[in-house]
Amino acid sequence: MSWDLSQMPDQAGRTILVTGVTSGLGTHTARELARRGARVVLAARSADKLAATRAALLEELPEAAFEELVVDLSSLESLRRAAAEAERFGALDVLVHNAGVMATPERRTVDGLDLQMGTNHFGPFLMTGLLLPQLIASGDGRVVSVASNAHHLTKVAPLWDPREPQVRYRRWVVYSQSKLANLLFTYEFDRRARAAGIPVRGLAAHPGYAATHLLSYGQTLKGSGGLTSILDAAMKAGAQSAEMGALPTLMATTDDLPGGTYCGPGGLRQMRGLPRVVGSNRLSRDEENQRRLWEISEKTVGLTYPF
């Protein structure tokens, strides 16, 4: 059964932290949550862009409650600093991992990790662990990871030393592995939380083929310019809108769903359309892959979950 905004329940009294809110899916996710009454923590790496996004949202929704949190998901130090600052928000009902990078050239983070794996998986893994006490304090928390249909493009899970460079760097393969990692994390997190009796669910969503700035930034590493404009225009010509792409995330964030649920567009090949519960590939459902990536991730970020 498909889902739309008319089915979103009232969000008054809930505090929801959304990363990557300064464009695309993140902006639309934050807007609709605030429109339904949620207190939304806007998280992104640029203080200036955060302030501009908040101002634009308040112009449209003057009664909305927004907070700001500066955090760079590619930096473990920034994540720890942001988590300490986030204590002022109190209990968190939902943590939405929306921020990410797509198919970038080979780059290393300040911690020596691949930029895509560091930003898309290891950063969210650490952030979840650091904010877990606040999610537990809500009494019914959730962690929603924005994955991708691209997880189908890899035939192997990323279970090697994340600080070892690959012999041949294939940006789209690495991107797909980072999105597979989002699903492996979601399923393992949810299973471990349930086994430990912790009241926090893990869910995931993907936007299908949606027109966002993610592809152009991945190719150019620039926010503007000739090639960036051309790529953005090409995306808009063939993809569904970012508003539609945000619906699966909103469904996973607000609908009455069990942990381990994956939401995505209900159209052909999950490319577009209203969201519904969808399936992921066999590789993502492999419990040994989930366990091994979890152990690698704890060692990499230097944090052990209390499960």
Coordinates of all heavy atoms in Angstrom, one line a residue, residues 18-112:
V18 N 17.7 16.1 11.6 CA 17.8 15.7 10.2 C 19.2 16.3 9.7 O 19.4 17.5 9.8 CB 16.7 16.3 9.3 CG1 16.8 15.8 7.9 CG2 15.3 15.9 9.9
T19 N 20.0 15.4 9.2 CA 21.3 15.9 8.7 C 21.1 16.2 7.2 O 20.2 15.8 6.5 CB 22.4 14.8 8.8 OG1 22.1 13.7 8.0 CG2 22.5 14.4 10.3
G20 N 22.1 17.1 6.7 CA 22.1 17.4 5.3 C 20.8 18.2 4.8 O 20.2 17.9 3.8
V21 N 20.5 19.2 5.6 CA 19.2 19.9 5.4 C 19.3 21.1 4.5 O 18.3 21.8 4.2 CB 18.6 20.4 6.7 CG1 18.3 19.2 7.6 CG2 19.5 21.3 7.5
T22 N 20.5 21.5 4.0 CA 20.6 22.7 3.3 C 20.2 22.7 1.8 O 20.3 23.7 1.1 CB 22.0 23.3 3.4 OG1 23.0 22.4 3.0 CG2 22.3 23.6 4.9
S23 N 19.8 21.5 1.3 CA 19.4 21.4 0.0 C 18.6 20.1 -0.2 O 18.6 19.2 0.7 CB 20.5 21.4 -1.0 OG 21.4 20.2 -0.8
G24 N 17.9 19.9 -1.3 CA 17.3 18.7 -1.7 C 16.4 18.0 -0.8 O 15.5 18.6 -0.1
L25 N 16.6 16.7 -0.6 CA 15.8 15.8 0.2 C 15.7 16.3 1.7 O 14.7 16.3 2.3 CB 16.3 14.4 0.2 CG 16.4 13.7 -1.1 CD1 17.0 12.3 -0.9 CD2 15.1 13.6 -1.9
G26 N 16.9 16.8 2.2 CA 16.9 17.2 3.6 C 16.0 18.4 3.9 O 15.3 18.5 4.9
T27 N 16.0 19.4 2.9 CA 15.2 20.6 3.1 C 13.7 20.2 3.1 O 13.0 20.7 4.0 CB 15.5 21.6 2.0 OG1 16.9 22.0 2.0 CG2 14.7 22.9 2.2
H28 N 13.3 19.4 2.2 CA 11.9 19.0 2.1 C 11.5 18.1 3.3 O 10.4 18.3 3.8 CB 11.7 18.3 0.8 CG 11.9 19.1 -0.4 ND1 11.1 20.3 -0.7 CD2 12.7 19.0 -1.5 CE1 11.5 20.8 -1.8 NE2 12.5 20.1 -2.3
T29 N 12.4 17.3 3.7 CA 12.1 16.5 4.9 C 11.9 17.3 6.1 O 10.9 17.2 6.9 CB 13.2 15.5 5.2 OG1 13.4 14.6 4.1 CG2 13.0 14.6 6.4
A30 N 12.8 18.3 6.4 CA 12.7 19.2 7.5 C 11.4 20.0 7.4 O 10.7 20.2 8.4 CB 13.9 20.1 7.6
R31 N 11.1 20.5 6.2 CA 9.9 21.4 6.0 C 8.6 20.7 6.4 O 7.8 21.2 7.2 CB 9.8 21.9 4.6 CG 8.6 22.7 4.3 CD 8.4 23.0 2.8 NE 9.5 23.9 2.4 CZ 10.4 23.6 1.5 NH1 10.5 22.4 1.1 NH2 11.4 24.5 1.2
E32 N 8.5 19.4 5.9 CA 7.2 18.7 6.2 C 7.1 18.3 7.6 O 6.0 18.3 8.2 CB 7.1 17.5 5.2 CG 7.0 17.9 3.8 CD 5.8 18.9 3.5 OE1 4.8 18.9 4.2 OE2 6.0 19.8 2.6
L33 N 8.2 17.9 8.2 CA 8.1 17.6 9.7 C 7.8 18.8 10.5 O 6.9 18.7 11.4 CB 9.5 17.0 10.1 CG 9.9 15.6 9.5 CD1 11.3 15.3 9.8 CD2 8.9 14.5 10.0
A34 N 8.3 19.9 10.2 CA 8.0 21.1 10.9 C 6.6 21.6 10.7 O 5.9 22.0 11.6 CB 9.0 22.3 10.5
R35 N 6.1 21.4 9.4 CA 4.7 21.7 9.1 C 3.7 20.9 9.9 O 2.6 21.4 10.3 CB 4.5 21.5 7.6 CG 3.2 22.1 7.1 CD 2.9 21.7 5.7 NE 4.0 21.8 4.7 CZ 4.3 22.9 4.1 NH1 3.6 24.0 4.3 NH2 5.3 23.0 3.2
R36 N 4.1 19.7 10.3 CA 3.2 18.9 11.1 C 3.5 19.1 12.6 O 2.9 18.4 13.5 CB 3.4 17.4 10.8 CG 3.0 17.0 9.4 CD 1.6 17.4 9.0 NE 1.2 16.8 7.8 CZ 1.5 17.2 6.6 NH1 2.3 18.2 6.4 NH2 1.0 16.5 5.5
G37 N 4.3 20.1 13.0 CA 4.5 20.4 14.4 C 5.7 19.9 15.1 O 5.9 20.2 16.3
A38 N 6.6 19.2 14.4 CA 7.8 18.7 15.0 C 8.8 19.9 15.3 O 8.8 20.9 14.6 CB 8.5 17.7 14.2
R39 N 9.5 19.7 16.4 CA 10.7 20.5 16.6 C 11.8 19.9 15.8 O 12.2 18.8 16.1 CB 11.0 20.6 18.1 CG 12.3 21.3 18.5 CD 12.7 20.9 19.9 NE 13.8 21.6 20.5 CZ 14.5 21.1 21.5 NH1 14.3 19.9 22.0 NH2 15.5 21.8 21.9
V40 N 12.4 20.6 14.8 CA 13.3 20.0 13.9 C 14.7 20.6 14.2 O 14.9 21.8 14.1 CB 12.9 20.2 12.5 CG1 14.0 19.6 11.5 CG2 11.5 19.6 12.2
V41 N 15.7 19.7 14.4 CA 17.1 20.1 14.5 C 17.7 20.0 13.1 O 17.8 19.0 12.6 CB 17.8 19.3 15.5 CG1 19.3 19.7 15.6 CG2 17.2 19.3 16.9
L42 N 18.1 21.2 12.6 CA 18.7 21.3 11.3 C 20.2 21.1 11.4 O 20.8 21.8 12.1 CB 18.4 22.6 10.6 CG 16.9 23.1 10.6 CD1 16.8 24.5 10.1 CD2 16.1 22.2 9.6
A43 N 20.7 20.0 10.8 CA 22.1 19.7 10.9 C 22.8 19.7 9.6 O 22.3 19.1 8.6 CB 22.3 18.3 11.6
A44 N 23.9 20.4 9.5 CA 24.7 20.4 8.3 C 26.1 21.0 8.6 O 26.3 21.5 9.7 CB 24.1 21.3 7.2
R45 N 27.0 20.9 7.7 CA 28.4 21.3 8.0 C 28.7 22.8 7.9 O 29.7 23.3 8.4 CB 29.4 20.5 7.1 CG 29.2 20.8 5.6 CD 30.2 19.9 4.8 NE 30.0 20.1 3.4 CZ 30.7 19.5 2.5 NH1 31.7 18.7 2.8 NH2 30.5 19.8 1.2
S46 N 27.8 23.5 7.2 CA 28.1 25.0 7.0 C 27.1 25.8 7.8 O 25.9 25.7 7.7 CB 27.9 25.3 5.5 OG 27.8 26.7 5.3
A47 N 27.7 26.6 8.8 CA 26.9 27.4 9.6 C 26.1 28.5 8.8 O 24.9 28.8 9.1 CB 27.8 28.1 10.7
D48 N 26.8 29.0 7.8 CA 26.1 30.0 7.0 C 24.9 29.4 6.2 O 23.8 30.0 6.1 CB 27.1 30.6 6.0 CG 28.1 31.5 6.7 OD1 27.9 31.9 7.8 OD2 29.2 31.8 6.0
K49 N 25.1 28.3 5.6 CA 24.0 27.6 4.9 C 22.9 27.2 5.8 O 21.7 27.2 5.4 CB 24.5 26.4 4.1 CG 25.4 26.8 2.9 CD 25.8 25.6 2.0 CE 26.6 26.0 0.8 NZ 27.0 24.9 0.0
L50 N 23.3 26.8 7.0 CA 22.2 26.4 8.0 C 21.4 27.6 8.3 O 20.1 27.5 8.4 CB 22.9 25.9 9.3 CG 23.1 24.4 9.5 CD1 23.8 24.1 10.8 CD2 21.7 23.7 9.4
A51 N 22.0 28.7 8.6 CA 21.3 29.9 8.9 C 20.3 30.4 7.8 O 19.2 30.8 8.0 CB 22.2 31.1 9.3
A52 N 20.9 30.3 6.5 CA 20.0 30.6 5.4 C 18.9 29.7 5.2 O 17.7 30.1 4.9 CB 20.9 30.6 4.1
T53 N 19.1 28.4 5.4 CA 18.0 27.4 5.3 C 17.0 27.6 6.4 O 15.7 27.6 6.1 CB 18.6 26.0 5.4 OG1 19.5 25.8 4.4 CG2 17.5 25.0 5.4
R54 N 17.4 27.9 7.6 CA 16.4 28.1 8.7 C 15.6 29.4 8.4 O 14.4 29.4 8.6 CB 17.2 28.3 10.0 CG 16.3 28.5 11.2 CD 17.1 28.7 12.5 NE 16.2 28.8 13.6 CZ 16.7 28.9 14.9 NH1 18.0 29.0 15.1 NH2 15.8 28.9 15.9
A55 N 16.3 30.4 7.9 CA 15.5 31.7 7.6 C 14.5 31.4 6.5 O 13.4 31.9 6.6 CB 16.5 32.8 7.2
A56 N 14.9 30.7 5.5 CA 13.9 30.4 4.4 C 12.7 29.6 4.8 O 11.6 29.8 4.5 CB 14.7 29.7 3.2
L57 N 13.0 28.6 5.7 CA 11.9 27.8 6.2 C 11.0 28.6 7.1 O 9.8 28.4 7.1 CB 12.5 26.6 7.0 CG 13.2 25.5 6.1 CD1 13.9 24.5 7.0 CD2 12.2 24.8 5.2
L58 N 11.6 29.4 7.9 CA 10.8 30.3 8.8 C 9.9 31.3 8.1 O 8.8 31.6 8.5 CB 11.7 31.0 9.8 CG 12.2 30.1 11.0 CD1 13.2 30.9 11.8 CD2 11.0 29.6 11.9
E59 N 10.4 31.7 6.9 CA 9.6 32.6 6.1 C 8.3 31.9 5.6 O 7.3 32.5 5.5 CB 10.4 33.1 4.9 CG 9.7 34.1 4.1 CD 10.7 34.7 3.0 OE1 11.9 34.5 3.1 OE2 10.1 35.4 2.1
E60 N 8.5 30.6 5.3 CA 7.3 29.8 4.9 C 6.5 29.4 6.1 O 5.2 29.3 6.0 CB 7.8 28.6 4.1 CG 6.7 27.8 3.5 CD 7.2 26.6 2.7 OE1 8.4 26.6 2.4 OE2 6.4 25.7 2.4
L61 N 7.2 29.0 7.2 CA 6.5 28.4 8.3 C 6.9 29.2 9.6 O 7.7 28.8 10.4 CB 6.9 27.0 8.5 CG 6.6 26.0 7.4 CD1 7.3 24.7 7.6 CD2 5.1 25.8 7.2
P62 N 6.4 30.4 9.8 CA 6.8 31.3 10.8 C 6.6 30.8 12.2 O 7.3 31.3 13.1 CB 6.0 32.6 10.6 CG 4.8 32.2 9.8 CD 5.3 31.1 8.9
E63 N 5.7 29.9 12.4 CA 5.5 29.3 13.8 C 6.3 28.1 14.1 O 6.2 27.5 15.2 CB 4.0 29.0 13.9 CG 3.1 30.2 13.7 CD 3.4 31.4 14.7 OE1 3.6 31.1 15.8 OE2 3.3 32.5 14.2
A64 N 7.1 27.6 13.1 CA 7.8 26.4 13.3 C 9.0 26.5 14.3 O 9.5 27.6 14.5 CB 8.4 25.9 11.9
A65 N 9.3 25.4 14.9 CA 10.4 25.4 15.8 C 11.6 24.7 15.2 O 11.6 23.5 14.9 CB 10.0 24.6 17.1
F66 N 12.7 25.5 15.0 CA 13.9 24.9 14.4 C 15.1 25.2 15.3 O 15.2 26.2 16.0 CB 14.2 25.6 13.1 CG 13.2 25.3 12.0 CD1 12.4 26.2 11.5 CD2 13.2 24.0 11.4 CE1 11.5 25.9 10.5 CE2 12.3 23.7 10.4 CZ 11.4 24.6 10.0
E67 N 16.0 24.2 15.4 CA 17.3 24.4 16.1 C 18.4 24.1 15.0 O 18.1 23.6 13.9 CB 17.4 23.4 17.2 CG 16.3 23.4 18.2 CD 16.4 24.5 19.2 OE1 17.4 25.2 19.2 OE2 15.5 24.6 20.1
E68 N 19.6 24.5 15.3 CA 20.7 24.4 14.4 C 21.8 23.6 15.0 O 22.1 23.8 16.2 CB 21.2 25.7 13.9 CG 20.2 26.5 13.1 CD 20.8 27.9 12.7 OE1 22.0 28.0 12.4 OE2 20.0 28.8 12.6
L69 N 22.5 22.7 14.2 CA 23.6 22.0 14.7 C 24.6 21.9 13.6 O 24.3 21.3 12.5 CB 23.2 20.6 15.2 CG 24.3 19.7 15.7 CD1 24.8 20.2 17.0 CD2 23.8 18.2 15.8
V70 N 25.8 22.4 13.8 CA 26.9 22.3 12.8 C 27.6 21.0 13.0 O 28.1 20.8 14.1 CB 27.8 23.5 12.9 CG1 29.0 23.4 11.9 CG2 27.1 24.8 12.6
V71 N 27.7 20.2 11.9 CA 28.4 18.9 12.0 C 28.9 18.5 10.7 O 28.2 18.6 9.7 CB 27.5 17.8 12.7 CG1 26.3 17.6 11.9 CG2 28.3 16.5 12.8
D72 N 30.1 18.1 10.6 CA 30.7 17.5 9.4 C 30.8 16.0 9.6 O 31.6 15.5 10.4 CB 32.1 18.1 9.2 CG 32.8 17.7 7.9 OD1 32.3 16.7 7.3 OD2 33.8 18.2 7.5
L73 N 30.0 15.3 8.8 CA 30.0 13.8 9.0 C 31.3 13.1 8.5 O 31.5 11.9 8.8 CB 28.8 13.2 8.2 CG 27.4 13.5 8.8 CD1 26.3 13.1 7.9 CD2 27.3 12.8 10.2
S74 N 32.1 13.8 7.8 CA 33.4 13.2 7.4 C 34.5 13.4 8.4 O 35.6 12.9 8.2 CB 33.8 13.8 6.0 OG 34.3 15.2 6.2
S75 N 34.2 14.0 9.5 CA 35.2 14.2 10.6 C 34.7 13.6 11.9 O 33.7 14.1 12.5 CB 35.4 15.7 10.8 OG 36.1 16.0 11.9
L76 N 35.4 12.7 12.4 CA 35.0 12.0 13.7 C 35.1 13.1 14.8 O 34.3 13.0 15.8 CB 35.9 10.8 14.0 CG 35.9 9.7 12.9 CD1 36.8 8.6 13.3 CD2 34.5 9.3 12.6
E77 N 36.1 14.0 14.8 CA 36.2 15.0 15.8 C 35.0 15.9 15.8 O 34.4 16.3 16.8 CB 37.5 15.8 15.6 CG 37.7 16.9 16.6 CD 38.9 17.8 16.4 OE1 39.7 17.5 15.5 OE2 39.1 18.7 17.1
S78 N 34.6 16.3 14.6 CA 33.4 17.2 14.4 C 32.2 16.5 15.0 O 31.3 17.1 15.6 CB 33.2 17.6 13.0 OG 32.0 18.3 12.8
L79 N 32.0 15.2 14.7 CA 30.9 14.5 15.2 C 30.8 14.4 16.7 O 29.8 14.6 17.3 CB 30.9 13.1 14.6 CG 30.5 12.9 13.2 CD1 31.0 11.7 12.5 CD2 28.9 12.9 13.1
R80 N 32.0 14.2 17.3 CA 32.0 14.2 18.8 C 31.7 15.5 19.4 O 31.0 15.7 20.4 CB 33.4 13.7 19.3 CG 33.6 12.2 19.0 CD 34.9 11.7 19.6 NE 35.0 10.2 19.4 CZ 35.7 9.7 18.4 NH1 36.3 10.4 17.5 NH2 35.7 8.3 18.3
R81 N 32.2 16.6 18.8 CA 31.9 17.9 19.3 C 30.4 18.3 19.1 O 29.8 18.8 20.0 CB 32.8 18.9 18.5 CG 32.7 20.4 19.0 CD 33.8 21.2 18.3 NE 33.7 21.2 16.9 CZ 34.7 20.7 16.1 NH1 35.8 20.1 16.7 NH2 34.6 20.7 14.8
A82 N 29.9 17.9 18.0 CA 28.4 18.2 17.7 C 27.6 17.4 18.7 O 26.5 17.9 19.1 CB 28.1 17.8 16.3
A83 N 27.9 16.1 19.0 CA 27.1 15.3 19.9 C 27.1 15.9 21.3 O 26.1 15.9 21.9 CB 27.7 13.9 19.9
A84 N 28.2 16.5 21.7 CA 28.3 17.1 23.0 C 27.3 18.4 23.0 O 26.6 18.6 23.9 CB 29.7 17.5 23.3
E85 N 27.3 19.1 21.9 CA 26.5 20.3 21.8 C 25.0 19.8 21.7 O 24.1 20.5 22.2 CB 26.8 21.1 20.5 CG 26.0 22.3 20.4 CD 26.4 23.1 19.1 OE1 27.4 22.9 18.5 OE2 25.5 24.0 18.7
A86 N 24.7 18.7 21.1 CA 23.3 18.2 20.9 C 22.7 17.8 22.2 O 21.5 17.7 22.2 CB 23.3 17.1 19.9
E87 N 23.4 17.7 23.3 CA 22.8 17.4 24.6 C 21.8 18.4 25.0 O 20.8 18.1 25.7 CB 23.9 17.2 25.6 CG 24.8 16.0 25.4 CD 25.9 15.9 26.5 OE1 25.8 16.7 27.5 OE2 26.8 15.1 26.4
R88 N 21.9 19.6 24.5 CA 21.0 20.7 24.9 C 19.6 20.5 24.3 O 18.7 21.1 24.8 CB 21.6 22.0 24.5 CG 21.7 22.2 23.0 CD 22.4 23.6 22.7 NE 22.7 23.7 21.3 CZ 21.9 24.3 20.4 NH1 20.7 24.8 20.8 NH2 22.2 24.4 19.1
F89 N 19.5 19.6 23.3 CA 18.2 19.4 22.7 C 17.3 18.4 23.6 O 16.1 18.2 23.3 CB 18.3 18.8 21.3 CG 19.1 19.7 20.4 CD1 20.1 19.2 19.6 CD2 18.9 21.1 20.4 CE1 20.9 20.0 18.8 CE2 19.6 21.9 19.5 CZ 20.6 21.4 18.7
G90 N 17.9 17.7 24.5 CA 17.2 16.7 25.3 C 16.9 15.5 24.5 O 17.7 15.1 23.6
A91 N 15.8 14.8 24.9 CA 15.5 13.5 24.2 C 15.2 13.8 22.7 O 14.6 14.8 22.3 CB 14.2 13.0 24.9
L92 N 15.7 12.8 21.9 CA 15.5 12.8 20.5 C 14.5 11.7 20.1 O 14.8 10.5 20.4 CB 16.8 12.7 19.7 CG 17.8 13.8 19.9 CD1 19.1 13.4 19.2 CD2 17.3 15.1 19.3
D93 N 13.5 12.0 19.4 CA 12.6 11.0 18.9 C 13.1 10.3 17.7 O 12.9 9.1 17.5 CB 11.2 11.6 18.6 CG 10.5 12.1 19.9 OD1 9.9 11.3 20.6 OD2 10.7 13.3 20.2
V94 N 13.7 11.0 16.8 CA 14.2 10.5 15.5 C 15.5 11.1 15.1 O 15.7 12.3 15.3 CB 13.2 10.6 14.4 CG1 13.6 9.7 13.2 CG2 11.8 10.2 14.8
L95 N 16.4 10.3 14.6 CA 17.7 10.8 14.0 C 17.6 10.3 12.6 O 17.6 9.1 12.3 CB 18.9 10.2 14.7 CG 20.3 10.4 14.0 CD1 20.6 11.8 13.9 CD2 21.3 9.6 14.8
V96 N 17.6 11.3 11.6 CA 17.5 11.0 10.2 C 18.8 11.3 9.6 O 19.3 12.4 9.5 CB 16.4 11.9 9.5 CG1 16.3 11.5 8.0 CG2 15.0 11.7 10.2
H97 N 19.4 10.2 9.1 CA 20.7 10.3 8.4 C 20.5 10.5 6.9 O 20.4 9.6 6.1 CB 21.5 9.0 8.6 CG 22.0 8.8 10.0 ND1 22.8 9.7 10.7 CD2 21.8 7.7 10.9 CE1 23.1 9.2 11.9 NE2 22.5 8.0 12.0
N98 N 20.3 11.8 6.6 CA 20.1 12.1 5.2 C 21.3 12.6 4.4 O 21.5 12.4 3.2 CB 19.0 13.2 5.1 CG 18.9 13.9 3.8 OD1 18.3 13.3 2.9 ND2 19.5 15.1 3.6
A99 N 22.3 13.2 5.1 CA 23.5 13.8 4.5 C 24.3 12.7 3.8 O 24.4 11.5 4.3 CB 24.3 14.5 5.5
G100 N 25.0 13.0 2.7 CA 25.8 12.1 2.1 C 26.5 12.7 0.9 O 26.2 13.8 0.5
V101 N 27.4 11.9 0.3 CA 28.0 12.3 -1.0 C 27.9 11.1 -1.9 O 27.7 10.0 -1.5 CB 29.5 12.6 -0.8 CG1 29.7 13.9 0.1 CG2 30.3 11.4 -0.1
M102 N 27.9 11.5 -3.2 CA 27.7 10.4 -4.3 C 28.8 10.4 -5.3 O 29.0 11.4 -6.0 CB 26.3 10.7 -4.9 CG 26.0 9.8 -6.1 SD 24.6 10.3 -7.1 CE 23.3 9.8 -6.0
A103 N 29.4 9.3 -5.5 CA 30.3 9.0 -6.6 C 31.4 10.1 -6.7 O 31.7 10.5 -7.8 CB 29.5 8.8 -7.9
T104 N 32.0 10.5 -5.6 CA 33.1 11.5 -5.7 C 34.4 10.8 -6.2 O 34.5 9.6 -6.1 CB 33.3 12.0 -4.3 OG1 33.6 11.0 -3.4 CG2 32.1 12.7 -3.8
P105 N 35.3 11.7 -6.7 CA 36.6 11.1 -7.0 C 37.3 10.6 -5.7 O 36.8 10.9 -4.6 CB 37.4 12.4 -7.5 CG 36.3 13.4 -7.9 CD 35.2 13.1 -7.0
E106 N 38.3 9.8 -5.8 CA 39.0 9.2 -4.7 C 39.5 10.4 -3.8 O 40.3 11.2 -4.2 CB 40.1 8.3 -5.1 CG 40.7 7.6 -3.9 CD 41.7 6.5 -4.3 OE1 42.1 6.5 -5.5 OE2 42.1 5.7 -3.4
R107 N 39.1 10.4 -2.5 CA 39.5 11.4 -1.5 C 39.5 10.7 -0.2 O 38.8 9.7 0.1 CB 38.5 12.6 -1.5 CG 38.5 13.4 -2.7 CD 39.7 14.3 -2.9 NE 39.5 15.3 -3.9 CZ 39.7 15.1 -5.2 NH1 40.0 13.8 -5.6 NH2 39.5 16.0 -6.1
R108 N 40.4 11.2 0.7 CA 40.4 10.7 2.1 C 40.0 11.8 3.0 O 40.2 13.0 2.8 CB 41.9 10.3 2.4 CG 42.4 9.1 1.6 CD 42.0 7.8 2.4 NE 41.7 6.7 1.4 CZ 41.4 5.5 1.7 NH1 41.2 5.2 3.0 NH2 41.1 4.6 0.8
T109 N 39.3 11.3 4.1 CA 38.9 12.3 5.1 C 40.1 12.6 6.0 O 41.1 12.0 5.9 CB 37.8 11.6 6.0 OG1 38.3 10.6 6.8 CG2 36.6 11.1 5.1
V110 N 39.9 13.5 7.0 CA 40.9 13.9 7.9 C 41.3 12.7 8.8 O 42.4 12.6 9.3 CB 40.5 15.0 8.8 CG1 40.3 16.3 8.0 CG2 39.2 14.7 9.5
D111 N 40.4 11.7 8.9 CA 40.7 10.5 9.7 C 41.3 9.3 8.8 O 41.4 8.2 9.3 CB 39.4 10.0 10.4 CG 38.8 11.1 11.2 OD1 39.4 11.4 12.2 OD2 37.8 11.6 10.9
G112 N 41.6 9.6 7.6 CA 42.2 8.6 6.7 C 41.2 7.6 6.1 O 41.6 6.6 5.6

